[in-house]
Amino acid sequence: IFTVGKAEVRIYPAEYTISQTDCYKIDIYGQTAGAAKLVSRVNDNFGAYINKDNLLPLKSWRILEEGKYRLKEYSDFDQEKGEVNVKKINNETGKMEEPKIYEFNEPYMLDLISGFAFLRTIDFTNINNGDTLTFNGFLEDTFYKLKVLYMGKEEIKTKLGKIQAHKLVPIMPDNKLFAGENSITAWIATDASKVPLKVEARMFIGKAGVEITGFEGMKYSPKFVE
């Protein structure tokens, strides 16, 4: 019933080149807001360079400040070799630790940022209510085969107005944060923007939600219902 944080997604208009590959650069910034700052201050940045053609990650980073917790982590993805090279900065020395290499045999591997971008490219025309979408993902030190249930279309209300949305339910693996495998529900616009609109989550400590509050500079703007 109250706001505990705010986040901003930035997709930069400039073109970038990594390993002779044209890329998008995307950053997500999240901070605590309001009275929540008095309890625990959060200032996080997730980011990635993703291939402009297939939206697969080349480089990604997590720079986290959550209370006293600190993390600076940088990952390089080699989709052809099937490797993720992860490097962390030691909080005490400020120096880069020895990198760790994680190998995968999947045809592709997504990170958190590219996963959201990839989701927005899906053509839902031939996907039916109850169908399952499967994605290969990597986070922290673990590979996931994430399954997402498509639950059809529905009109939802946001702070910007009503809009028709695709309803998606990720099947969550066992974890210490979310309550049950169907604990998260997400909605993305059905129009050309396919912008993420809303996320709701049942957690062991209660219920949380994220909702769009604004947008700018988009090629296709969401079409809200009058």
Side-chain angles (χ1 to χ4, degrees):
I1 59 174
F2 53 89
T3 299
V4 297
K6 294 183 179 181
E8 179 181 24
V9 181
R10 299 178 189 173
I11 304 175
Y12 297 88
E15 292 188 2
Y16 297 84
T17 302
I18 303 292
S19 301
Q20 299 181 331
T21 302
D22 292 335
C23 301
Y24 294 116
K25 181 184 179 184
I26 301 176
D27 270 307
I28 297 178
Y29 297 95
Q31 299 90 23
T32 40
K37 291 182 179 180
L38 302 176
V39 180
S40 180
R41 187 178 293 271
V42 172
N43 185 23
D44 290 350
N45 170 213
F46 295 81
Y49 289 102
I50 62 176
N51 189 312
K52 195 172 181 180
D53 293 327
N54 57 24
L55 301 185
L56 297 179
L58 284 86
K59 293 179 176 290
S60 68
W61 53 91
R62 296 191 299 148
I63 303 173
L64 310 181
E65 298 178 6
E66 301 175 355
K68 295 182 179 180
Y69 177 75
R70 297 290 184 272
L71 174 69
K72 289 186 178 180
E73 178 188 85
Y74 304 87
S75 300
D76 294 319
F77 289 77
D78 191 323
Q79 301 287 343
E80 293 185 3
K81 284 187 178 181
E83 291 182 353
V84 185
N85 189 316
V86 180
K87 296 166 285 186
K88 294 182 181 180
I89 293 180
N90 187 292
N91 290 328
E92 294 182 1
T93 65
K95 296 181 179 180
M96 193 74 73
E97 298 177 352
E98 281 293 316
K100 294 183 179 180
I101 297 177
Y102 301 88
E103 298 180 348
F104 60 91
N105 296 316
E106 304 293 346
Y108 68 89
M109 191 57 58
L110 300 168
D111 74 322
L112 185 66
I113 304 295
S114 59
F116 278 106
F118 193 78
L119 192 63
R120 295 177 65 192
T121 69
I122 295 174
D123 182 0
F124 290 94
T125 305
N126 297 317
I127 298 177
N128 300 314
N129 195 336
D131 284 354
T132 301
L133 311 173
T134 304
F135 306 92
N136 302 315
F138 177 81
L139 181 63
E140 294 182 352
D141 58 0
T142 305
F143 293 104
Y144 296 94
K145 190 171 284 290
L146 181 64
K147 295 182 178 180
V148 179
L149 291 174
Y150 178 65
M151 304 304 291
K153 300 177 183 178
E154 66 180 36
E155 189 176 288
I156 65 169
K157 184 184 293 185
T158 73
K159 292 182 179 179
L160 300 179
K162 293 181 181 179
I163 188 169
Q164 189 179 57
H166 295 295
K167 184 178 180 181
L168 303 166
V169 179
I171 301 175
M172 300 298 294
D174 288 339
N175 62 86
K176 299 178 181 179
L177 184 60
F178 299 106
E181 65 175 17
N182 294 340
S183 55
I184 297 178
T185 304
W187 292 265
I188 63 174
T190 59
D191 56 40
S193 73
K194 288 187 179 176
V195 66
L197 299 166
K198 191 174 181 179
V199 178
E200 289 183 352
R202 296 193 317 276
M203 308 171 76
F204 289 111
I205 59 172
K207 194 173 182 180
V210 180
E211 183 179 317
I212 190 171
T213 59
F215 59 89
E216 62 181 30
M218 296 180 60
K219 184 176 181 180
Y220 302 107
S221 297
K223 296 180 179 179
F224 292 94
V225 179
E226 296 294 334

